[in-house]
Amino acid sequence: MKVWKMSMAPLVLASLMLMLLVSACGSNNDKNNAPAADNTASNAKNDTAANAPDNAANDTATTEPAPAAEPPVELTYYYIVYDMPADQQEVEDAINAYIQPKINATIKLKPVLEAGYKDKINTMLAANESFDLLWTSNWGGGDYDNKVAKGALLPIDDLLDKTPDLKAAIPQVAWDDTKVDGKIYGVPNMQIAAKAEGFAIQKRFIDKYNIDVNSIKTQMDIEPVLKTIHDNEPDIIPIATTSNMFDFGRQYGYAAQGYKLGDPNFKIIDTTDKPEYKTFLDNMRRWYTSGYIYKDAATMKDDQLVALLNTGKVAVEWNTTMKPGGEVDDKKRFGNNDVVYVRVSEPEFTGVRATMNSISRTSKNPEKALEFLQLTSTDPALFNLITFGIKDKHYTMVGDNTIKINQDAGYKGDQGWVFGNVLIGYLKEGQAPDTWERTKQLNETAKRPEVNGFNFNTEPYKTESVNIAAVSEQYGKALNSGAVDPAKVLPKYQDALKKAGVGKQTEEMQKQLDEWLKANGKK
């Protein structure tokens, strides 16, 4: 899954790029997808026989009744999917058979299609509906910061002391990245958190036209490739993605927080009136009018992009993750056509907010909810079950820790990035055995941003943020995809941003960043 924030101040919180998606998972042996055999009765019998004298003595000394057994709990979990699984109930039953003996709880899985996820969750929250777990993120329907600001999520700092395995399984840098005003409201789904940007290109076109991928060093270097595809492949779309085709800021030297990289004053600016942005828009407009960019890019939703890529008729996609082993996932996304990654930036730690799971403020069983998340982060058997389904039906083993997903079965979503820790999961056919080791190494060694650990609190400017998001929806998408003439529309966009309160937002963002910089000895 790919996720990148626009680095322009008015777009930092208003326009978020989609994912990619990212994924993978796995267990370590064939027995992991079934509950362990219960030897309690035979063990108890043996213990009684061996310790009969002691038990008799204890019986005469004990008069208090044994404590009542804890009643079982049913949890409810809402999360995003791109394809509704036909075998959902069968997998849920297997999950509950596995977790009930472990945490004395079962779970009701509530997958929601991506296109309606945000509205569904917001409606439930507005109605104060009782449920336990929900998927959250810093993009699309996950809407993490806004949910925190509205008091919809439960802080879990104290609860984490009761789930030490979960706390230990996730690095402190990841926990720190989730914090809002010093509190943790989400459990990160561990995956690639050190991302590079570049292009995913169908290999068949590289081979056919002898494309020198080593010559592609920047975003603009892809233009000759797009022209070749356009001129010679009338049935192929040269490049397609959702409206925010590129992360303007990172490629033009701006930090995600909105300041120019290398600026000792860390001054946040509105980049929409900067010459680099105008150049960027002019390039996008030229590509669009030349027929390189998919004609409906400005209005295309995430699920529509997935469907379009699946046809195999898209030659190139902008990729904001470039994760180890990601070519296998993208082959599936590109209609089962092999892809080649061409990186144009160095890996940088981008944080874990791209995918998390949170506990609803209305949960009646938050401790059990966190115990479930502890299992999805530490127990390969459960993680593989919820991600890949049932062995020999939804997938088959093709190696010690490698599987082949059955595309004809009713559970093929392969969304480990939604559920927990992909680094404990199976590898998929075609992924190198060291994929997870390379992923961990990248996460640990990638360049850290200058303000790593800092996150904006949107509450002081939430009204302006909503207004700016609406303006971006109206103007920004069309501009960034080249669908409209920037000479005519950019001035309207700039004026609308000012009226929406971009000045106040920028001022508040600067105040927060300055306070953080001072507190951390950086200013």
Side-chain angles (χ1 to χ4, degrees), residues 25-30 328 384 388 391-392 395-405 424-436:
C25 327
S27 182
N28 294 322
N29 59 63
D30 292 353
V328 172
N384 287 323
F388 298 114
K391 179 177 174 286
D392 293 330
Y395 66 89
T396 55
M397 302 298 302
V398 294
D400 290 341
N401 194 49
T402 302
I403 65 168
K404 180 177 182 178
I405 297 173
I424 64 172
Y426 287 136
L427 294 167
K428 287 167 289 189
E429 187 178 34
Q431 289 184 315
D434 65 345
T435 295
W436 298 146

Side-chain angles (χ1 to χ4, degrees), residues 217-355:
K217 306 292 186 183
T218 69
Q219 285 177 342
M220 294 303 107
D221 290 342
I222 198 69
E223 184 168 355
V225 177
L226 303 182
K227 185 179 188 306
T228 297
I229 300 298
H230 175 267
D231 293 348
N232 296 281
E233 302 284 346
D235 296 327
I236 298 297
I237 299 164
I239 188 167
T241 185
T242 47
S243 56
N244 290 320
M245 179 155 292
F246 294 134
D247 172 31
F248 162 77
R250 184 168 179 180
Q251 294 299 312
Y252 284 80
Y254 290 91
Q257 293 76 18
Y259 64 87
K260 189 75 171 177
L261 290 173
D263 176 10
N265 296 314
F266 298 89
K267 183 180 179 181
I268 297 175
I269 54 179
D270 173 8
T271 55
T272 61
D273 64 351
K274 298 302 175 186
E276 303 103 304
Y277 185 53
K278 179 63 164 57
T279 299
F280 169 73
L281 295 182
D282 287 341
N283 286 331
M284 293 302 99
R285 180 61 175 168
R286 186 181 70 256
W287 287 10
Y288 186 88
T289 56
S290 297
Y292 304 160
I293 298 175
Y294 181 56
K295 60 182 178 62
D296 294 331
T299 57
M300 188 162 51
K301 305 297 184 185
D302 294 343
D303 57 336
Q304 294 171 321
L305 174 62
V306 171
L308 182 64
L309 289 170
N310 284 340
T311 66
K313 293 185 177 182
V314 177
V316 181
E317 185 193 24
W318 177 242
N319 186 301
T320 59
T321 303
M322 296 273 126
K323 66 174 183 177
E327 296 92 337
V328 172
D329 295 325
D330 276 348
K331 177 178 180 177
K332 175 183 172 183
R333 294 175 66 239
F334 276 77
N336 207 36
N337 290 291
D338 288 327
V339 300
V340 173
Y341 277 177
V342 182
R343 199 172 69 183
V344 299
S345 71
E346 291 303 311
E348 180 177 274
F349 183 79
T350 55
V352 297
R353 288 187 171 205
T355 174

Side-chain angles (χ1 to χ4, degrees), residues 365-378:
N365 299 285
E367 292 186 11
K368 287 296 180 187
L370 201 60
E371 287 180 27
F372 175 78
L373 295 183
Q374 178 170 249
L375 288 179
T376 62
S377 292
T378 60

Side-chain angles (χ1 to χ4, degrees), residues 33 91 383-391 394-395 411:
N33 281 343
V91 174
F383 178 81
N384 287 323
L385 182 54
I386 196 171
T387 299
F388 298 114
I390 297 169
K391 179 177 174 286
H394 300 121
Y395 66 89
Y411 199 85

